[in-house]
């Protein structure tokens, strides 16, 4: 009550004195200070050089290698602001790597919230490393791990610990166990490649010397489906990434193009042109049997399932221009989702189910947009020159991968779902396009 | 409320009219007592909560206010545009990077305004203001008290502006240190309220959650922002309290798919 008085009586100077009489009791003395968040500062974190756990280490440059790899991987996530080591006050020779050996004020005073320390020891080809994350504001250990492996394993150990840090500070373990598949187009052919989330380890998946496109990961990450013209007709193939074997699963007359999988990995949404024009079907991956979902004289393509599998988003030009529509999983109740712009395609349903990312044409250039799955005003995420296409969500729903083409270059980029923190994942002169994010691969 | 009742009474009954007259008379007496009684309790004078809340509250919920001291006005303006920016981010969040940049600029203008207020507050401090401690200085009070009641508030508003300058300092310190990367919050609007007790030397003694947001990362970041900002600047001399209880409300309305 009293607080209400405090908040609302200011317009009435005539009654002010009276109100003051009633409200001036001590209960009204409480002041509230409002602070609104979206300044979005990254976590300030310091990474100290790793210390040898034993005197006279065999491999001294591991000390720097650990801290530098760790700094790089933390930066990649977009959540951390790495403090410059030149600002460090601590004497590395005297300080320890456990809470007892650290003066936390040395770190808070330079603005750190978190500190990573660690140590290593080598024994022939064996490598043991300890990692500790400290909350220096509270002055306590957040998480500590000890990894044992071979001498070349330091990268894997670092990635493992960065995942621990992310889990502790953001609630998600990060994406270091994910890969991104994309299509690399040259003059005569297009092949599928995959690359790690941190841009490392690019691998070629297909080598058909033919047009190959539209890769889609199975929910367990073991299979990739894609369309290839390698036998003349655009058919759908299933590649087992473990065994390397490939099987043709969609070979109806005309176009066969894969869409999204069901969660159990048994069904695949596909676009086929066997009935005259492109229509959407739900295909059984095991026996290729079909259930037709759309019946329209216009083109219906690019189907994606909602995470709860109750709805399907797709692209249709039934209104005259390509727009995104949503229908029930059985094809009923079709409704138009996008109205702004005259060319909206490539829908990607967010893993949490609330949003749909897509590409839309703005002044003749494609940009990435985000729209509520229930409809509403779209939010434009990219603004740079060039065509931004084929958005794909990370499995935690925090990032989008997409392709950028223009000025003779072609890139696969990653940004966070708010449109910030853009990072180039892959760049070359060939056309790289259609990135698609894998699920977590163990 | 009060004016509605008197309208009705005037239209009708004479008896009630006389009651109104008696009521007015009573208020007049009480008011004049207020004006001339030296033993009025001090806290509400040195620390006028009515103004204080409205001025530091940057959320834009409070009604517009006229006749505040210039410094406080600047602060309000700085605070208000901040809020407007945030709203724009929600309503048509089309240019996130740019809005972030303009936010940074905004922070700078705010800091400038703060700096000015600090200077003014520092300049005002040496002028004889006997109501500083514990309110035991009786003679100064009736004069101060006349402020809010008079049509042109001067003394109290000025003091409120100074109080607000102190709160604005706290606000700025906490906001500057509040680290929360984009992308880790759920889509819902979150609010955490943390109560702190500030001693005269600026030390923060008690820190308690009045309300948790339900998101532990958000709560933790808010708590950490306060810990990083403390100790706060020492309380200015014109705040007569031995300690201050302040609620700090952290809001988030990040868009998250």
């Amino acid at each position: 009550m009293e607080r209400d008085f405090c908040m609302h009586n200011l317009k009435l100077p005539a009654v002010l004195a009276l109100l003051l009489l009633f409200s001036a009791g001590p209960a009204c003395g409480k002041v509230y200070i409002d602070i609104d968040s979206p300044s979005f500062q990254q976590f300030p974190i310091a990474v100290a050089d790793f210390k040898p756990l034993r005197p006279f280490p065999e491999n001294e440059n591991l000390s720097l290698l650990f801290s530098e790899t760790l700094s790089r991987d933390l930066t990649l996530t977009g959540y951390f602001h790495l403090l410059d080591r030149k600002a460090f006050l601590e004497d590395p020779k005297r300080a320890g790597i456990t809470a007892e050996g650290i003066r936390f004020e040395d770190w808070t005073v330079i603005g750190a919230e978190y500190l990573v320390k660690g140590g290593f020891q080598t024994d022939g080809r064996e490598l043991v490393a300890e990692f500790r994350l400290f909350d220096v504001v509270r002055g306590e250990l957040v998480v500590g791990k000890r990894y044992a492996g071979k001498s070349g394993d330091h990268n894997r150990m670092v990635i493992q610990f960065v995942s621990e840090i992310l889990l502790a500070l953001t609630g998600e373990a990060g994406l270091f166990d994910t890969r991104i598949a994309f299509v690399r187009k040259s003059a005569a052919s297009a092949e599928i490649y995959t690359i790690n989330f941190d841009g490392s380890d690019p691998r070629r998946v297909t080598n058909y010397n033919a047009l190959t496109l539209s890769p889609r990961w199975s929910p367990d990450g073991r299979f990739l489906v894609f369309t290839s013209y390698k036998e003349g007709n655009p058919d759908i193939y299933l590649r087992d990434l473990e065994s390397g074997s490939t099987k043709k699963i969609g070979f109806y007359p005309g176009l066969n193009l894969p869409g999204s999988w069901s969660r159990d990995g048994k069904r695949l949404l596909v676009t086929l042109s066997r009935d005259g024009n492109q229509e959407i079907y739900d295909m059984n991956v095991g026996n290729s049997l079909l259930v037709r979902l759309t019946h329209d004289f216009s083109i219906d393509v690019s189907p994606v399932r909602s995470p709860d599998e109750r709805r399907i988003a797709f692209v249709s030009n039934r209104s005259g221009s390509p727009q995104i529509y949503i229908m029930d999983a059985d094809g009923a109740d079709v409704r138009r989702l996008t109205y702004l712009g005259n060319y909206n395609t490539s829908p990607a349903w967010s893993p949490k189910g609330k949003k749909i990312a897509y590409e839309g044409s703005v002044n003749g250039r494609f940009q990435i947009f985000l729209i509520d799955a229930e409809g509403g005003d779209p939010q434009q995420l990219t603004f740079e020159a060039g065509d931004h296409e084929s958005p794909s969500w990370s499995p935690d729903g925090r990032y989008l991968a997409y392709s950028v083409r223009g000025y003779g270059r072609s890139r696969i980029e990653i940004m966070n779902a708010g449109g910030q923190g853009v990072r180039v994942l892959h760049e070359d002169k060939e056309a790289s396009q259609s990135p698609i994010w894998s699920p977590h691969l163990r | 409320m009060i004016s509605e009742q008197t309208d009705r009474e005037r239209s009708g009954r004479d008896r009630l009219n006389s009651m109104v007259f008696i009521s007015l008379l009573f208020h007049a007496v009480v008011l004049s007592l207020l004006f001339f009684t030296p033993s009025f309790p001090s806290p509400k004078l040195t620390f006028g909560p009515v103004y204080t809340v409205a001025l530091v509250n940057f959320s834009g919920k409070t009604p517009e206010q006229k006749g505040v001291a210039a410094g406080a006005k600047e602060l309000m303006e700085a605070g208000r545009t901040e809020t407007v920016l945030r709203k724009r981010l929600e309503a048509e969040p089309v240019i996130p990077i740019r809005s972030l940049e303009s936010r940074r600029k905004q922070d700078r203008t705010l800091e400038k305004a703060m700096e000015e207020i600090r200077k003014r507050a520092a300049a005002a401090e040496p002028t004889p203001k006997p109501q500083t401690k514990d309110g035991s200085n009786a003679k100064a009070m009736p004069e101060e008290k006349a402020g809010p009641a008079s049509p042109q508030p001067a003394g109290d508003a000025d003091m409120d502006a100074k109080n607000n300058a102190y709160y604005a300092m706290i606000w700025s310190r906490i906001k500057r240190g509040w680290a929360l990367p984009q992308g880790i919050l759920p889509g819902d609007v979150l609010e955490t309220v943390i109560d702190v007790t500030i001693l005269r030397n600026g030390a923060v003694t008690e820190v308690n959650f009045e309300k948790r947001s339900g998101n532990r990362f958000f709560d933790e970041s808010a708590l950490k922002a306060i810990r990083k900002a403390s100790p706060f600047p020492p309380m200015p001399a014109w705040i007569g309290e031995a300690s201050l209880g302040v609620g700090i409300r952290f809001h988030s309305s990040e868009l998250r798919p």
Side-chain angles (χ1 to χ4, degrees):
Chain A
M1 266 301 280
E2 268 115 350
R3 199 188 302 163
D4 280 350
F5 270 122
C6 294
M7 304 280 268
H8 300 300
N9 61 13
L10 293 153
K11 272 186 182 164
L12 309 163
V15 243
L16 205 64
L18 270 179
L19 283 172
L20 192 71
L21 258 185
F22 299 118
S23 65
C28 193
K30 181 109 179 227
V31 173
Y32 284 87
I33 298 176
D34 284 287
I35 301 181
D36 292 318
S37 102
S39 52
F40 295 128
Q41 290 186 53
Q42 296 159 316
F43 294 127
I45 193 167
V47 178
D49 286 346
F50 277 43
K51 296 190 88 171
L53 295 172
R54 278 193 216 142
F56 314 114
E58 297 165 29
N59 194 351
E60 249 179 292
N61 56 12
L62 266 179
S63 170
L64 215 60
L65 202 56
F66 268 116
S67 57
E68 279 174 357
T69 315
L70 196 56
S71 300
R72 190 202 64 198
D73 288 352
L74 285 171
T75 308
L76 275 181
T77 66
Y79 299 135
F80 297 95
H81 164 60
L82 270 292
L83 296 181
D84 189 347
R85 66 179 62 232
K86 286 179 200 144
F88 293 179
L89 301 175
E90 186 182 79
D91 179 1
K93 286 197 182 102
R94 295 173 65 184
I97 61 166
T98 57
E100 295 76 43
I102 299 169
R103 278 191 51 201
F104 290 108
E105 312 88 80
D106 283 350
W107 298 100
T108 51
V109 83
I110 61 166
E113 267 186 31
Y114 298 98
L115 166 69
V116 182
K117 287 210 158 203
F120 63 93
Q121 68 183 48
T122 50
D123 193 356
R125 292 196 61 238
E126 305 294 312
L127 172 67
V128 173
E130 288 181 10
F131 294 76
R132 289 188 185 85
L133 171 71
F134 296 98
D135 178 336
V136 294
V137 179
R138 286 173 178 271
E140 63 189 29
L141 178 77
V142 180
V143 56
K145 293 277 169 184
R146 185 183 173 92
Y147 302 110
K150 299 277 176 265
S151 55
D153 284 344
H154 78 274
N155 256 338
R156 281 180 46 215
M157 293 176 179
V158 167
I159 283 175
Q160 200 88 13
F161 193 67
V162 169
S163 301
E164 296 284 349
I165 294 176
L166 289 173
L167 187 63
L169 302 187
T170 74
E172 301 267 2
L175 298 159
F176 287 97
D177 58 349
T178 64
R179 287 177 74 80
I180 289 135
F182 62 96
V183 175
R184 213 172 148 213
K185 231 175 183 172
S186 57
S189 69
E191 306 289 354
I192 290 169
Y193 287 73
T194 62
I195 192 166
N196 272 340
F197 162 72
D198 60 3
S200 65
D201 192 21
R203 283 183 221 161
R204 186 171 177 153
V205 177
T206 62
N207 195 4
Y208 297 147
N209 211 9
L211 206 58
T212 304
L213 30 105
S214 195
R216 296 285 184 272
W217 296 91
S218 67
D220 59 2
R222 181 174 165 182
F223 300 96
L224 263 179
V225 287
F226 49 82
T227 292
S228 182
Y229 285 76
K230 68 174 185 147
E231 292 172 14
N233 194 58
D235 293 329
I236 297 175
Y237 297 84
L238 179 74
R239 164 68 63 93
D240 183 339
L241 294 170
E242 277 178 22
S243 69
S245 65
T246 307
K247 185 179 154 194
K248 189 153 77 171
I249 58 164
F251 39 92
Y252 293 95
L255 180 72
N256 296 261
L257 208 60
S260 72
W261 291 75
S262 60
R263 271 178 303 185
D264 61 8
K266 289 182 176 162
R267 306 190 70 79
L268 184 69
L269 289 174
V270 293
T271 302
L272 308 176
S273 63
R274 64 169 207 159
D275 294 320
N277 72 333
Q278 284 97 327
E279 299 287 351
I280 293 164
Y281 303 77
D282 202 354
M283 186 176 81
N284 186 314
V285 175
N287 57 21
S288 302
L289 288 178
L290 301 172
V291 177
R292 183 168 170 178
L293 299 179
T294 57
H295 302 79
D296 201 276
F297 291 113
S298 49
I299 293 173
D300 298 317
V301 290
S302 306
V304 280
R305 285 178 218 270
S306 65
D308 64 6
E309 302 198 338
R310 287 186 185 165
R311 291 180 289 172
I312 293 166
F314 65 101
V315 175
S316 175
N317 67 349
R318 59 186 68 191
S319 64
S321 66
Q323 297 290 347
I324 294 165
Y325 290 77
I326 290 182
M327 63 183 173
D328 290 349
D330 60 1
D333 195 17
V334 178
R335 52 209 180 277
R336 184 170 164 181
L337 181 68
T338 55
Y339 287 91
L340 202 73
N342 57 11
Y343 207 107
N344 297 311
T345 52
S346 301
W349 213 308
S350 78
K352 311 274 179 204
K354 286 184 184 168
K355 301 269 179 183
I356 290 173
Y358 64 95
E359 72 201 24
S361 174
V362 184
N363 303 325
R365 286 293 189 186
F366 282 106
Q367 302 288 359
I368 307 294
F369 287 83
L370 210 54
I371 192 169
D372 207 287
E374 306 306 322
D377 292 331
Q379 176 193 2
Q380 188 173 342
L381 296 182
T382 57
F383 295 88
E384 301 296 317
D387 285 316
H388 300 67
E389 295 164 302
S390 310
S392 172
W393 293 93
S394 63
D396 62 3
R398 289 177 172 180
Y399 300 86
L400 283 163
Y402 54 95
S403 65
V404 189
R405 281 187 298 151
Y407 308 108
R409 305 292 292 173
S410 156
R411 292 194 294 268
I412 304 292
E413 291 186 346
I414 289 174
M415 65 182 170
N416 70 33
Q420 282 99 12
V422 173
R423 173 163 71 81
V424 177
L425 185 73
H426 173 81
E427 175 165 10
D428 63 30
K429 282 183 190 155
E430 313 281 336
S432 295
Q433 58 194 53
S434 309
I436 193 97
W437 216 307
S438 81
H440 291 286
L441 311 164
R442 267 152 261 290
Chain B
M1 271 246 310
I2 289 163
S3 60
E4 268 175 37
Q5 277 178 2
T6 49
D7 282 352
R8 253 182 251 151
E9 283 157 13
R10 268 179 199 161
S11 71
R13 303 160 210 170
D14 292 348
R15 262 190 79 195
L16 280 179
N17 254 335
S18 64
M19 290 298 282
V20 171
F21 178 72
I22 291 168
S23 161
L24 281 174
L25 194 69
F26 170 75
H27 285 119
V29 169
V30 174
L31 269 178
S32 51
L33 271 174
L34 253 178
F35 277 81
F36 301 110
T37 313
S39 61
F40 198 78
S42 64
K44 64 195 159 209
L45 292 170
T46 51
F47 181 52
V50 174
Y51 293 93
T52 320
V53 173
L55 288 178
V56 223
N57 196 337
F58 294 133
S59 68
K61 286 173 202 159
T62 45
E64 284 204 25
Q65 202 181 15
K66 283 168 190 171
V68 289
K73 218 181 223 172
E74 279 171 31
L75 235 184
M76 285 275 286
E77 273 161 20
R80 199 173 294 137
T81 40
E82 186 86 2
T83 315
V84 170
L85 252 182
R86 183 175 72 87
K87 275 184 185 155
R88 197 192 300 150
L89 199 73
E90 286 168 5
E92 30 178 84
V94 274
I95 319 174
I97 296 173
R98 273 181 220 166
S99 60
L100 255 183
E101 279 166 12
S102 50
R103 180 166 297 280
R104 254 174 244 140
K105 276 180 211 156
Q106 198 53 52
D107 280 345
R108 246 173 268 143
T109 54
L110 179 79
E111 269 179 21
K112 248 187 216 169
M114 292 262 313
E115 200 49 50
E116 217 163 285
I117 291 162
R118 257 176 239 151
K119 270 183 212 159
R120 255 176 236 184
E125 209 168 5
T127 57
K129 287 257 174 186
Q131 80 284 10
T132 46
K133 274 178 195 170
D134 301 333
S136 53
N137 233 320
K139 278 190 182 170
M141 281 161 214
E143 290 161 25
E144 285 296 323
K145 205 187 304 159
S150 69
Q152 294 157 324
D156 268 15
D158 200 36
M159 209 171 61
D160 286 326
K162 286 194 211 162
N163 285 355
N164 288 324
Y166 181 62
Y167 293 128
M169 263 189 263
I170 297 176
W171 177 86
S172 152
R173 274 179 85 109
I174 296 174
K175 189 170 174 72
R176 205 184 311 146
W178 187 15
L180 192 63
Q182 188 171 40
I184 66 171
L185 297 180
D188 327 309
V189 178
L190 301 175
E191 185 186 70
T192 293
V193 184
I194 299 178
D195 287 339
V196 298
T197 305
I198 310 165
L199 299 185
R200 287 216 63 85
N201 64 4
V204 178
T205 51
E206 287 173 48
V207 180
N208 296 309
F209 278 97
E210 181 179 310
K211 180 189 164 193
R212 284 178 189 269
S213 68
N215 180 299
R216 74 184 168 97
F217 300 106
F218 188 76
D219 291 348
E220 173 67 17
S221 74
L223 194 65
K224 197 160 270 159
I226 291 176
R227 280 174 198 254
K228 279 168 75 181
S230 57
F232 295 154
M235 245 186 254
W238 62 75
I239 297 181
E241 318 281 328
S243 68
L244 278 184
V246 177
I248 298 167
R249 282 195 288 242
F250 295 82
H251 305 272
S252 155
S253 49
E254 182 184 346
L255 287 159
R256 169 82 196 272

